[in-house]
């Protein structure tokens, strides 16, 4: 059972999402909060697997709340954070991904997409809605990198793993990567898993951020 928590300052959004998710046999809503501070406190108590996190909220915004939830000592519970956003993909979304969020979802997404998004993020896949994801990646890539190159970490990857990371960073799914490299999809999953382990990354979202900020992939590639 996937435990979900909803953090949004709009009561109707919280109630609507909660009703939809609670109706799924594999999902359970363990709480909802009206601001980031309440959300962080509640998550510490209830250990959700996935937190649906709005960005603009009173008291503590979604960006700061995401940082607090994910910047914890090893061994402590860290939920996966799914950012709720509008289609303009503002600066807060980029910063939330840098802070460790696993992906994002449009607030006006169809019900089935919301349910699927929670399941995808819970499984560790991260980054959702391919067409929107590619737009996000394109905009992210055009921004100045926040940290210097880290060739030492990249050196831990084999040539094939490096190639897979480049394709992940371009927004390709495992199936699309398998078609590109002419290998089995299970082989791609294995490569992705090894990349995440070697680079100490939590999911594909962090892999995309890492690839661009280290210069492995550049804007326009």
């Amino acid at each position: 059972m996937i435990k979900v928590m909803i953090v949004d300052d709009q009561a109707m959004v919280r109630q609507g999402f909660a009703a939809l998710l609670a109706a799924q046999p594999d999902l359970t809503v363990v709480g909802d909060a009206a601001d980031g501070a309440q959300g962080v406190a509640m998550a510490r108590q209830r250990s959700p697997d996935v937190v649906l996190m709005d960005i603009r909220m009173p008291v503590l915004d979604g960006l700061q709340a995401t940082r607090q939830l994910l910047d914890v000592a090893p061994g402590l519970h860290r939920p996966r954070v799914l950012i709720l956003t509008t289609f303009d993909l503002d600066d807060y979304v980029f910063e939330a991904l840098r802070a460790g969020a696993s992906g994002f979802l449009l607030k006006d997404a169809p019900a089935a997409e919301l349910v699927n998004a929670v399941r995808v993020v819970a499984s560790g896949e991260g980054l959702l809605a391919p067409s929107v994801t590619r737009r996000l990646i394109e905009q992210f890539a055009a921004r100045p990198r926040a940290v210097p190159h880290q060739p030492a970490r990249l050196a831990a990857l084999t040539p094939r793993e490096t190639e897979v990371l480049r394709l992940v960073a371009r927004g390709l799914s495992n199936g699309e990567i398998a078609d590109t490299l002419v290998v089995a999809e299970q082989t791609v999953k294995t490569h992705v898993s090894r990349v995440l382990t070697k680079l100490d990354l939590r999911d594909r979202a962090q892999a995309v951020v890492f690839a661009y900020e280290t210069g492995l992939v550049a804007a326009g590639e």
Side-chain angles (χ1 to χ4, degrees):
M1 185 70 74
I2 300 171
K3 297 187 295 182
V4 186
M5 207 178 81
I6 303 161
V7 185
D8 194 293
D9 62 343
Q10 297 181 44
M12 289 184 65
V13 171
R14 298 197 307 273
Q15 293 166 7
F17 283 179
L20 173 64
L21 297 173
Q24 308 304 312
D26 59 334
L27 306 178
T28 181
V29 178
V30 297
D32 65 82
D35 62 63
Q38 291 180 7
V40 170
M42 186 177 294
R44 297 275 191 257
Q45 296 175 342
R46 305 186 184 182
S47 301
D49 300 304
V50 177
V51 175
L52 295 180
M53 182 75 74
D54 190 19
I55 287 290
R56 295 190 173 109
M57 294 181 292
V59 185
L60 188 71
D61 66 27
L63 174 58
Q64 294 297 327
T66 296
R67 286 175 175 154
Q68 290 188 21
L69 282 177
L70 301 181
D71 186 17
V72 297
L76 296 181
H77 178 72
R78 288 198 303 176
R80 298 189 184 278
V81 176
L82 177 59
I83 299 296
L84 298 173
T85 186
T86 54
F87 195 68
D88 59 1
L89 299 175
D90 59 35
D91 289 346
Y92 287 108
V93 179
F94 299 102
E95 292 306 316
L97 288 176
R98 286 192 176 103
S102 292
F104 64 97
L105 183 72
L106 303 181
K107 276 195 171 183
D108 60 354
E113 188 172 318
L114 169 63
V115 172
N116 181 63
V118 170
R119 291 172 177 149
V120 168
V121 167
S123 73
E125 287 296 310
L127 284 178
L128 311 165
S131 62
V132 181
T133 295
R134 291 191 176 104
R135 177 182 168 187
L136 172 66
I137 290 172
E138 179 182 347
Q139 293 191 26
F140 185 89
R143 292 169 179 265
R145 288 190 288 273
V147 298
H149 295 285
Q150 301 180 45
R153 291 178 69 185
L154 288 171
L157 303 181
T158 66
R160 177 47 62 96
E161 289 165 353
T162 301
E163 189 174 15
V164 168
L165 176 56
R166 282 197 180 96
L167 295 174
V168 168
R170 286 170 49 198
L172 273 65
S173 66
N174 285 347
E176 291 169 332
I177 295 173
D179 291 342
T180 299
L181 300 180
V182 195
V183 297
E185 187 169 347
Q186 184 57 48
T187 300
V188 174
K189 290 181 180 179
T190 299
H191 286 314
V192 171
S193 177
R194 288 175 179 167
V195 167
L196 297 180
T197 298
K198 287 183 177 182
L199 298 178
D200 192 28
L201 303 172
R202 295 182 67 227
D203 53 34
R204 295 172 81 96
Q206 284 199 333
V208 170
V209 173
F210 178 87
Y212 281 108
E213 292 197 329
T214 58
L216 178 66
V217 177
E221 285 192 4

